[in-house]
């Protein structure tokens, strides 16, 4: 691990950072150093790609989870009643936001949407606290390509009687996901666009 990477994972650096702009920069560097890879890959959508982002390298990282929780919480509408996402990629994201929300005196529950209904007990698609019908929920995602994964969560939540009008992702690969959500009448926002990650990745590589 380089000196720069060590400094980024130093707990005192992250604990002392209250500025969201600085925290976002730290998170960007984590994505570049831990999650972004170049090569020949096949995505979950079946599309070939010259790069891959393993988001869980950051979302399951202690400092990454802290930054994600704080940054995404700041993007949520004030009337948000819960955050939710499709398992497995969104699980650590919704959890991080929910935990951080408590410390910010704005407690927001987290829901996990299964890909298949539970095969026993309640046989539910959605795990988490029961919410009032019509509760306003924001769907969270790690990396958006076509937008189909998060849309499954939107559909399951709406079928359960909840109101879902927005999707927020950590990374937008800019391969049609944003346009797909727009056509579906959903608001969409991403913390990072792929070109920003690629540009920073090359800057870090040059500096080594």
């Amino acid at each position: 691990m380089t000196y720069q990477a060590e400094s980024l994972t130093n707990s005192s650096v992250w604990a002392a950072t209250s500025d969201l702009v600085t925290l976002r920069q730290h998170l960007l560097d984590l994505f570049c150093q831990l999650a972004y890879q170049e090569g020949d890959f096949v995505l979950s959508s079946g599309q070939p790609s010259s790069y891959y982002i393993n988001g869980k390298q950051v979302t399951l990282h202690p400092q990454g989870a802290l930054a994600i929780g704080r940054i995404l919480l700041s993007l949520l509408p004030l009337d948000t009643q819960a955050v939710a996402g499709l398992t497995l990629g969104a699980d650590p994201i919704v959890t991080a936001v929910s935990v951080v929300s408590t410390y910010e005196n704005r407690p927001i529950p987290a829901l996990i949407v299964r890909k298949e209904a539970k095969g026993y007990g309640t046989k539910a698609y959605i795990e988490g606290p029961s919410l009032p019908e019509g509760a306003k929920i924001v769907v969270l995602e790690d990396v958006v390509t076509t937008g189909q994964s998060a849309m499954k969560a939107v559909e399951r939540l709406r079928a359960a009687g909840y109101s879902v009008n927005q999707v927020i992702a950590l990374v937008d690969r800019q391969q049609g996901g944003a346009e797909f959500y727009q056509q579906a009448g959903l608001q969409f926002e991403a913390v990072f666009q792929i070109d920003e990650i690629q540009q920073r990745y090359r800057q870090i590589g040059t500096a080594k």
Side-chain angles (χ1 to χ4, degrees):
M1 182 180 289
T2 65
Y3 173 79
Q4 185 177 19
E6 288 176 352
S7 67
L8 284 172
T9 56
N10 186 313
S11 296
S12 63
V13 172
W14 294 75
T17 300
S18 58
D19 176 18
L20 289 177
V21 174
T22 302
L23 199 62
R24 182 184 182 278
Q25 183 62 48
H26 287 336
L27 183 61
L28 174 61
D29 286 350
L30 274 186
F31 266 102
C32 293
Q33 293 173 335
L34 302 180
Y36 182 84
Q37 305 171 56
E38 294 187 341
D40 295 321
F41 303 96
V42 177
L43 306 178
S44 60
S45 63
Q47 297 180 9
S49 177
S50 60
Y51 68 89
Y52 180 67
I53 301 174
N54 186 354
K56 286 181 280 296
Q57 292 294 321
V58 176
T59 62
L60 291 170
H61 188 284
Q63 281 82 13
L66 174 61
I68 287 165
R70 290 191 56 206
I71 291 169
L72 291 185
L73 181 65
S74 73
L75 298 178
L76 296 178
L78 293 177
D79 60 354
T80 302
Q81 292 174 266
V83 289
L86 189 70
T87 196
L88 174 70
D91 294 2
I93 302 174
V94 299
T95 302
V97 172
S98 184
V99 170
V100 168
S101 73
T102 301
Y103 285 96
E104 297 288 338
N105 198 29
R106 186 189 168 190
I108 296 175
L111 302 178
I112 292 173
V113 181
R114 291 175 173 269
K115 294 180 181 178
E116 303 293 340
K118 185 190 294 185
Y120 56 91
T122 60
K123 298 184 178 180
Y125 272 104
I126 301 171
E127 299 289 353
S130 296
L131 302 171
E133 185 173 354
K136 295 183 178 180
I137 298 177
V138 175
V139 167
L140 306 180
E141 180 68 287
D142 56 354
V143 181
V144 164
T145 303
T146 64
Q148 296 292 335
S149 293
M151 195 64 195
K152 291 178 183 176
V154 171
E155 292 168 350
R156 297 293 183 200
L157 292 161
R158 286 177 170 174
Y162 299 130
S163 174
V164 186
N165 299 304
Q166 185 172 7
V167 175
I168 302 177
L170 294 176
V171 181
D172 179 10
R173 289 178 56 105
Q174 297 177 290
Q175 290 182 262
E179 293 77 11
F180 173 73
Y181 293 133
Q182 184 178 19
Q183 291 173 1
L186 289 164
Q187 299 176 48
F188 174 67
E189 185 172 1
V191 178
F192 303 113
Q193 305 293 327
I194 187 57
D195 52 0
E196 182 179 9
I197 290 178
Q198 291 173 328
Q199 180 180 4
R200 180 59 179 158
Y201 176 81
R202 293 183 176 90
Q203 288 176 345
I204 292 174
T206 302
K208 288 182 180 179

